[in-house]
Amino acid sequence: MALGIGSKLDSVMARIRQAAEQARADMAAAAQSVKEPLPDAPDAKAVNPAEGRYLDSFEEERAQKMGMPSLAAPPPPGTDPAASAIPTNEATQAQKEQGWNAPQTTVAQTSKKGCAEATLTYLEQSSAEEAAPLTQQEAREKVRNKADTMTTSVKDRVDVNLDDGATADEMGAMLGSMGIKVTNGFDECNTDALSGALKNGQMALALVDSNALLNTTLAEGEKGPDSGELHWLTIDGVNPGKSKSTDDDLYRVRDPVNGAYWVKASDLKKSISQAQEQHGSGGVMTVKKDGTAKTTEQREALAQSNLERTQPLGKGNGGASRRLSVGESS
């Protein structure tokens, strides 16, 4: 009998030791998992693995985006999903039908003035027709090559130099060389036109005041100066508000520093309005793939026509740099 009890006790102790070892393994795996960069956090590195916070190469500390719709796991069956649902992007299917194949990861700018180049690289990846998707490096090299070999007749009107950012005209010329047509340009955030274009399969570029947009995501005590620098970003998503007006729509932006996130129409309007007030430039241009522009001559003509629609955004140079040293932020 004593032998039987001892055997059972040994078995129980073995299970306890096994459970403890498994718990330690699970904790180690969890600690390792938070060291991995967030999929849409450019150049991320861990700050505090216990808290799961990250830094990127441009900021001292990743700011929490206050008031932004947060990513969450689907709610359990039978519960109300409204409170935790991820905004539905009503542009995705139409964009696919129009030939866009947008990557999931936002392109990070690789220099202090690189937001324009990063935005163009994202669109180059999204519009590419190669059998295998372009890597960010391949797309970036294509953009650089097109900037360096811009045709003489286009250079007569605009000198493209991505090293110090880009004006709206430079962006229009570059888009034409990529086979992308600027369909409209505004010096404000026209939400009716913007939402309509996105739902019809287009994308958009916005020239904003970097601090004005950043400050909408920060708590009161964390906000920086009202005015920053001109900064380019892509808009690739729309989620309608509860009213019939587009004034309460949400837009998903692809920010070359901060990654992808949703912003309110009112916040996007503010960042563009402030860009105009502080820098004399800013706005939105909507764009679509032009499947007819195949040859060098056709793309040159497209670049020329794009310049007629970029003028409302002004002559300011979009090339904001960092995020949380807010004076030179984006």
mmCIF file of all heavy atoms in Angstrom, residues 17 32 41-42 44 46 65 73 83 99 104 123 155-156 166 172 179 183 255 261 270-271 281 285 297 301 323:
data_model
loop_
_atom_site.group_PDB
_atom_site.id
_atom_site.type_symbol
_atom_site.label_atom_id
_atom_site.label_comp_id
_atom_site.label_asym_id
_atom_site.label_seq_id
_atom_site.Cartn_x
_atom_site.Cartn_y
_atom_site.Cartn_z
ATOM 1 N N ARG A 17 6.115 19.318 -11.853
ATOM 2 C CA ARG A 17 7.351 19.797 -12.464
ATOM 3 C C ARG A 17 7.155 20.067 -13.965
ATOM 4 O O ARG A 17 7.643 21.053 -14.512
ATOM 5 C CB ARG A 17 8.466 18.763 -12.262
ATOM 6 C CG ARG A 17 9.040 18.731 -10.846
ATOM 7 C CD ARG A 17 10.342 17.936 -10.813
ATOM 8 N NE ARG A 17 10.139 16.539 -11.186
ATOM 9 C CZ ARG A 17 9.819 15.577 -10.324
ATOM 10 N NH1 ARG A 17 9.668 15.857 -9.042
ATOM 11 N NH2 ARG A 17 9.674 14.327 -10.750
ATOM 12 N N GLN A 32 9.660 36.643 -25.873
ATOM 13 C CA GLN A 32 10.290 36.739 -27.188
ATOM 14 C C GLN A 32 9.358 37.361 -28.212
ATOM 15 O O GLN A 32 9.777 38.153 -29.056
ATOM 16 C CB GLN A 32 10.721 35.341 -27.662
ATOM 17 C CG GLN A 32 11.407 35.341 -29.021
ATOM 18 C CD GLN A 32 12.708 36.114 -29.009
ATOM 19 O OE1 GLN A 32 13.399 36.155 -27.998
ATOM 20 N NE2 GLN A 32 13.038 36.744 -30.132
ATOM 21 N N ALA A 41 5.154 48.857 -38.208
ATOM 22 C CA ALA A 41 5.941 49.860 -37.511
ATOM 23 C C ALA A 41 7.316 49.925 -38.156
ATOM 24 O O ALA A 41 8.132 49.051 -37.942
ATOM 25 C CB ALA A 41 6.070 49.498 -36.039
ATOM 26 N N PRO A 42 7.594 50.946 -38.991
ATOM 27 C CA PRO A 42 8.869 51.000 -39.701
ATOM 28 C C PRO A 42 10.067 50.961 -38.773
ATOM 29 O O PRO A 42 10.142 51.708 -37.808
ATOM 30 C CB PRO A 42 8.794 52.347 -40.438
ATOM 31 C CG PRO A 42 7.337 52.627 -40.547
ATOM 32 C CD PRO A 42 6.718 52.046 -39.313
ATOM 33 N N ALA A 44 11.078 49.133 -36.393
ATOM 34 C CA ALA A 44 10.768 49.086 -34.968
ATOM 35 C C ALA A 44 11.799 48.302 -34.194
ATOM 36 O O ALA A 44 12.419 47.380 -34.686
ATOM 37 C CB ALA A 44 9.387 48.459 -34.765
ATOM 38 N N ALA A 46 12.339 46.955 -29.823
ATOM 39 C CA ALA A 46 11.666 46.901 -28.535
ATOM 40 C C ALA A 46 12.213 47.943 -27.575
ATOM 41 O O ALA A 46 13.406 48.187 -27.505
ATOM 42 C CB ALA A 46 11.819 45.515 -27.929
ATOM 43 N N LYS A 65 -1.971 56.453 -30.061
ATOM 44 C CA LYS A 65 -2.897 57.208 -30.889
ATOM 45 C C LYS A 65 -4.239 57.303 -30.173
ATOM 46 O O LYS A 65 -5.079 56.426 -30.267
ATOM 47 C CB LYS A 65 -3.043 56.554 -32.262
ATOM 48 C CG LYS A 65 -1.743 56.590 -33.068
ATOM 49 C CD LYS A 65 -1.944 55.929 -34.405
ATOM 50 C CE LYS A 65 -0.715 56.120 -35.275
ATOM 51 N NZ LYS A 65 0.465 55.457 -34.744
ATOM 52 N N ALA A 73 -9.368 41.641 -31.565
ATOM 53 C CA ALA A 73 -9.811 40.324 -31.996
ATOM 54 C C ALA A 73 -11.326 40.332 -32.169
ATOM 55 O O ALA A 73 -12.025 41.090 -31.512
ATOM 56 C CB ALA A 73 -9.409 39.283 -30.962
ATOM 57 N N ALA A 83 -18.709 47.803 -30.714
ATOM 58 C CA ALA A 83 -17.753 48.560 -29.917
ATOM 59 C C ALA A 83 -16.312 48.241 -30.275
ATOM 60 O O ALA A 83 -15.422 49.064 -30.110
ATOM 61 C CB ALA A 83 -17.996 48.289 -28.432
ATOM 62 N N GLY A 99 -7.185 47.327 -60.593
ATOM 63 C CA GLY A 99 -5.826 46.895 -60.861
ATOM 64 C C GLY A 99 -4.800 47.185 -59.796
ATOM 65 O O GLY A 99 -3.614 46.893 -59.970
ATOM 66 N N GLN A 104 0.442 45.054 -47.710
ATOM 67 C CA GLN A 104 -0.118 45.250 -46.380
ATOM 68 C C GLN A 104 0.726 46.198 -45.538
ATOM 69 O O GLN A 104 0.221 46.819 -44.603
ATOM 70 C CB GLN A 104 -0.246 43.896 -45.663
ATOM 71 C CG GLN A 104 -1.270 42.970 -46.284
ATOM 72 C CD GLN A 104 -2.670 43.555 -46.261
ATOM 73 O OE1 GLN A 104 -3.150 44.010 -45.228
ATOM 74 N NE2 GLN A 104 -3.311 43.588 -47.411
ATOM 75 N N LEU A 123 3.011 53.460 -53.877
ATOM 76 C CA LEU A 123 2.143 53.437 -55.052
ATOM 77 C C LEU A 123 2.766 52.621 -56.183
ATOM 78 O O LEU A 123 2.051 51.974 -56.948
ATOM 79 C CB LEU A 123 1.855 54.862 -55.527
ATOM 80 C CG LEU A 123 0.956 55.694 -54.604
ATOM 81 C CD1 LEU A 123 0.833 57.117 -55.127
ATOM 82 C CD2 LEU A 123 -0.426 55.067 -54.470
ATOM 83 N N LYS A 155 11.020 68.000 -67.623
ATOM 84 C CA LYS A 155 11.975 68.768 -66.824
ATOM 85 C C LYS A 155 11.917 70.251 -67.138
ATOM 86 O O LYS A 155 12.283 71.089 -66.313
ATOM 87 C CB LYS A 155 13.395 68.242 -67.058
ATOM 88 C CG LYS A 155 13.683 66.918 -66.355
ATOM 89 C CD LYS A 155 15.133 66.517 -66.537
ATOM 90 C CE LYS A 155 15.442 65.237 -65.775
ATOM 91 N NZ LYS A 155 16.866 64.826 -65.944
ATOM 92 N N ASP A 156 11.461 70.597 -68.356
ATOM 93 C CA ASP A 156 11.315 72.003 -68.701
ATOM 94 C C ASP A 156 10.283 72.687 -67.810
ATOM 95 O O ASP A 156 10.344 73.903 -67.592
ATOM 96 C CB ASP A 156 10.888 72.152 -70.169
ATOM 97 C CG ASP A 156 12.024 71.820 -71.124
ATOM 98 O OD1 ASP A 156 13.181 71.808 -70.661
ATOM 99 O OD2 ASP A 156 11.747 71.547 -72.308
ATOM 100 N N ALA A 166 9.369 66.765 -52.073
ATOM 101 C CA ALA A 166 8.761 66.954 -53.394
ATOM 102 C C ALA A 166 7.599 67.921 -53.303
ATOM 103 O O ALA A 166 6.827 67.903 -52.332
ATOM 104 C CB ALA A 166 8.272 65.619 -53.967
ATOM 105 N N GLY A 172 3.151 64.974 -59.271
ATOM 106 C CA GLY A 172 2.345 64.748 -60.468
ATOM 107 C C GLY A 172 3.170 64.238 -61.632
ATOM 108 O O GLY A 172 2.758 63.318 -62.357
ATOM 109 N N GLY A 179 2.701 55.716 -64.783
ATOM 110 C CA GLY A 179 1.449 55.272 -65.374
ATOM 111 C C GLY A 179 0.253 55.499 -64.473
ATOM 112 O O GLY A 179 -0.751 54.785 -64.557
ATOM 113 N N THR A 183 -6.482 62.438 -61.022
ATOM 114 C CA THR A 183 -7.844 62.706 -61.501
ATOM 115 C C THR A 183 -8.409 64.019 -60.977
ATOM 116 O O THR A 183 -9.299 64.600 -61.594
ATOM 117 C CB THR A 183 -8.782 61.558 -61.110
ATOM 118 O OG1 THR A 183 -8.780 61.407 -59.681
ATOM 119 C CG2 THR A 183 -8.334 60.249 -61.754
ATOM 120 N N ASP A 255 1.165 56.439 -43.522
ATOM 121 C CA ASP A 255 2.093 57.483 -43.124
ATOM 122 C C ASP A 255 3.513 56.920 -43.144
ATOM 123 O O ASP A 255 3.780 55.929 -42.464
ATOM 124 C CB ASP A 255 1.707 57.947 -41.715
ATOM 125 C CG ASP A 255 2.494 59.133 -41.223
ATOM 126 O OD1 ASP A 255 3.675 59.242 -41.564
ATOM 127 O OD2 ASP A 255 1.926 59.944 -40.466
ATOM 128 N N TYR A 261 -3.003 54.003 -40.077
ATOM 129 C CA TYR A 261 -3.986 54.248 -39.023
ATOM 130 C C TYR A 261 -5.166 55.007 -39.621
ATOM 131 O O TYR A 261 -5.086 55.560 -40.721
ATOM 132 C CB TYR A 261 -3.372 55.013 -37.841
ATOM 133 C CG TYR A 261 -2.663 56.302 -38.197
ATOM 134 C CD1 TYR A 261 -3.311 57.535 -38.124
ATOM 135 C CD2 TYR A 261 -1.329 56.287 -38.613
ATOM 136 C CE1 TYR A 261 -2.655 58.711 -38.437
ATOM 137 C CE2 TYR A 261 -0.667 57.457 -38.938
ATOM 138 C CZ TYR A 261 -1.334 58.670 -38.850
ATOM 139 O OH TYR A 261 -0.685 59.841 -39.181
ATOM 140 N N LYS A 270 -8.357 69.463 -40.804
ATOM 141 C CA LYS A 270 -7.575 70.400 -39.994
ATOM 142 C C LYS A 270 -6.112 70.392 -40.409
ATOM 143 O O LYS A 270 -5.481 71.444 -40.513
ATOM 144 C CB LYS A 270 -7.702 70.041 -38.513
ATOM 145 C CG LYS A 270 -6.902 70.944 -37.589
ATOM 146 C CD LYS A 270 -7.050 70.539 -36.139
ATOM 147 C CE LYS A 270 -6.193 71.432 -35.241
ATOM 148 N NZ LYS A 270 -6.287 71.014 -33.812
ATOM 149 N N SER A 271 -5.554 69.207 -40.646
ATOM 150 C CA SER A 271 -4.131 69.120 -40.979
ATOM 151 C C SER A 271 -3.839 69.752 -42.339
ATOM 152 O O SER A 271 -2.761 70.311 -42.553
ATOM 153 C CB SER A 271 -3.664 67.662 -40.948
ATOM 154 O OG SER A 271 -4.264 66.909 -41.981
ATOM 155 N N SER A 281 0.698 75.895 -48.753
ATOM 156 C CA SER A 281 0.497 74.739 -49.628
ATOM 157 C C SER A 281 -0.170 73.631 -48.826
ATOM 158 O O SER A 281 -0.131 73.626 -47.593
ATOM 159 C CB SER A 281 1.823 74.226 -50.196
ATOM 160 O OG SER A 281 2.437 75.190 -51.014
ATOM 161 N N MET A 285 -4.819 65.045 -53.647
ATOM 162 C CA MET A 285 -4.993 64.691 -55.053
ATOM 163 C C MET A 285 -5.438 63.234 -55.126
ATOM 164 O O MET A 285 -4.902 62.383 -54.414
ATOM 165 C CB MET A 285 -3.707 64.912 -55.859
ATOM 166 C CG MET A 285 -2.517 64.106 -55.426
ATOM 167 S SD MET A 285 -1.075 64.329 -56.541
ATOM 168 C CE MET A 285 -0.476 65.917 -56.011
ATOM 169 N N GLU A 297 6.410 57.813 -74.423
ATOM 170 C CA GLU A 297 5.718 59.012 -74.916
ATOM 171 C C GLU A 297 4.360 59.187 -74.238
ATOM 172 O O GLU A 297 3.972 60.304 -73.881
ATOM 173 C CB GLU A 297 5.532 58.937 -76.434
ATOM 174 C CG GLU A 297 6.824 59.020 -77.234
ATOM 175 C CD GLU A 297 7.643 57.722 -77.179
ATOM 176 O OE1 GLU A 297 7.076 56.669 -76.768
ATOM 177 O OE2 GLU A 297 8.829 57.752 -77.536
ATOM 178 N N ALA A 301 3.210 62.265 -71.749
ATOM 179 C CA ALA A 301 1.986 63.049 -71.931
ATOM 180 C C ALA A 301 1.130 63.024 -70.670
ATOM 181 O O ALA A 301 0.523 64.034 -70.287
ATOM 182 C CB ALA A 301 1.193 62.509 -73.120
ATOM 183 N N ARG A 323 9.063 62.186 -36.092
ATOM 184 C CA ARG A 323 7.754 62.179 -35.508
ATOM 185 C C ARG A 323 7.670 62.918 -34.194
ATOM 186 O O ARG A 323 6.846 63.802 -34.026
ATOM 187 C CB ARG A 323 7.284 60.746 -35.280
ATOM 188 C CG ARG A 323 5.952 60.719 -34.545
ATOM 189 C CD ARG A 323 5.391 59.349 -34.395
ATOM 190 N NE ARG A 323 4.143 59.430 -33.683
ATOM 191 C CZ ARG A 323 3.276 58.475 -33.599
ATOM 192 N NH1 ARG A 323 3.504 57.355 -34.221
ATOM 193 N NH2 ARG A 323 2.172 58.614 -32.926
#
